[in-house]
Amino acid sequence: MIDEKSKKAEVLPVVRKNGLDLKNASEELRGDREVVIRAVRQNGYALRYASEELRGDRDVVMEAVRQNSDALQYAEQLRGDREVVMAAVRQNGCALQHASEELRGDRDVVMAAVRQDGLALEYASEYLRGDREVVMAAVRQDGLALEYASEYLRGDREVVLAAVKNDGHALFWASKELRADRDFMLEAVKQDVRAFIYASVELKRDKKVVLAAVQQNGRAVYYFSDELRIEMAECWAKCMDCEVKNDL
């Protein structure tokens, strides 16, 4: 255990094992470059306890974000440094939330972020959330990223189908027009039967859509309403009755 009276020789081996112990070091040692680098290499979050000067030291910050991308939040002076931010988002796309407003509007930075974690789209600029290529990259990585796409792209058939293919629940964020489009829903349930949950009321009773859902996965019946299951059971019973009579 170290405290403000601990010497550098005592602090170095401690922070090498647990970087967060830097918080217990003296103000002088929290401003010592060697000590801080040792700490952030072990735990990037240790950057939080470094001196203001070292939180603005590019080499120190790079070491920190490479160990833990979220350390970027403690590097106020370097949130607009493209290389530092790139290093962070390539490790964890959602570190984009700590980047400067300018870099959240940088297409290359945002593409790197959403390819690592589609949900990073939430932190992209409004303009890039309406960029079809960026959004496609995001929903292919995580279909639920559709939530953060522009209203226009949430009505784009190809974008939504790509999202549904990744995660059927993504259809929740699709436009009402698409969820009521019969041809589109036929494609959607073939990609992921869970898409059926978010179909319009009318399409949930459409025979073709229902059949497509069941053919994609027999467990689709679990997503049917009680009324629809009863109706299907009655139809099945009638079919069975007809087959028995024909055999007789």
Side-chain angles (χ1 to χ4, degrees):
M1 187 70 179
I2 59 175
D3 56 34
E4 292 192 351
K5 295 181 180 179
S6 300
K7 304 297 183 182
K8 182 174 179 178
E10 298 173 291
V11 172
L12 281 172
V14 173
V15 297
R16 186 184 291 135
K17 291 183 179 179
N18 184 359
L20 296 181
D21 276 335
L22 180 66
K23 66 180 178 181
N24 299 315
S26 66
E27 184 176 348
E28 178 185 355
L29 291 180
R30 284 188 280 114
D32 184 294
R33 201 166 186 275
E34 183 183 4
V35 170
V36 173
I37 284 182
R38 289 285 179 86
V40 299
R41 279 178 178 168
Q42 197 283 322
N43 190 322
Y45 273 114
L47 186 65
R48 176 181 181 180
Y49 306 112
S51 66
E52 183 177 353
E53 181 183 354
L54 290 182
R55 291 201 306 274
D57 183 302
R58 198 166 185 277
D59 292 334
V60 171
V61 173
M62 283 294 278
E63 291 283 357
V65 299
R66 282 170 179 158
Q67 199 288 319
N68 189 317
S69 60
D70 282 336
L72 183 62
Q73 64 188 293
Y74 303 119
E76 295 87 351
Q77 301 172 52
L78 292 172
R79 292 181 181 181
D81 185 299
R82 199 168 188 273
E83 189 177 348
V84 169
V85 172
M86 272 290 203
V89 300
R90 281 173 175 158
Q91 182 195 133
N92 176 6
C94 285
L96 183 65
Q97 65 186 296
H98 305 304
S100 67
E101 184 176 351
E102 180 182 356
L103 289 182
R104 285 187 277 115
D106 183 303
R107 197 170 187 276
D108 291 336
V109 170
V110 172
M111 281 294 278
V114 300
R115 282 172 175 161
Q116 198 287 321
D117 187 337
L119 297 180
L121 185 64
E122 176 181 3
Y123 309 110
S125 67
E126 183 177 355
Y127 176 75
L128 289 179
R129 284 187 274 118
D131 183 301
R132 196 171 188 273
E133 190 177 350
V134 169
V135 173
M136 280 293 267
V139 299
R140 282 171 175 161
Q141 201 288 320
D142 190 323
L144 298 181
L146 186 64
E147 174 183 359
Y148 307 112
S150 67
E151 183 177 354
Y152 174 75
L153 289 178
R154 283 188 273 119
D156 183 298
R157 297 172 75 94
E158 287 186 43
V159 169
V160 177
L161 278 177
V164 170
K165 186 175 183 179
N166 179 276
D167 190 323
H169 290 303
L171 197 63
F172 177 81
W173 303 106
S175 66
K176 289 182 179 180
E177 290 76 16
L178 282 184
R179 286 187 278 125
D181 185 304
R182 188 171 186 254
D183 292 335
F184 174 80
M185 283 305 305
L186 283 170
E187 286 297 316
V189 296
K190 289 175 183 176
Q191 296 291 349
D192 190 323
V193 72
R194 293 176 297 177
F196 182 83
I197 303 170
Y198 307 106
S200 66
V201 175
E202 293 76 14
L203 290 183
K204 281 183 178 178
R205 299 184 60 81
D206 185 286
K207 291 181 179 179
K208 278 197 172 182
V209 175
V210 171
L211 181 60
V214 174
Q215 289 178 331
Q216 202 277 345
N217 191 324
R219 293 184 179 181
V221 294
Y222 293 121
Y223 303 129
F224 297 165
S225 65
D226 291 339
E227 182 183 356
L228 181 56
R229 279 199 291 267
I230 291 172
E231 186 177 324
M232 289 184 68
E234 290 175 346
C235 288
W236 180 259
K238 287 180 181 179
C239 289
M240 291 296 291
D241 186 50
C242 287
E243 286 185 12
V244 171
K245 287 180 179 179
N246 288 335
D247 288 342
L248 294 175

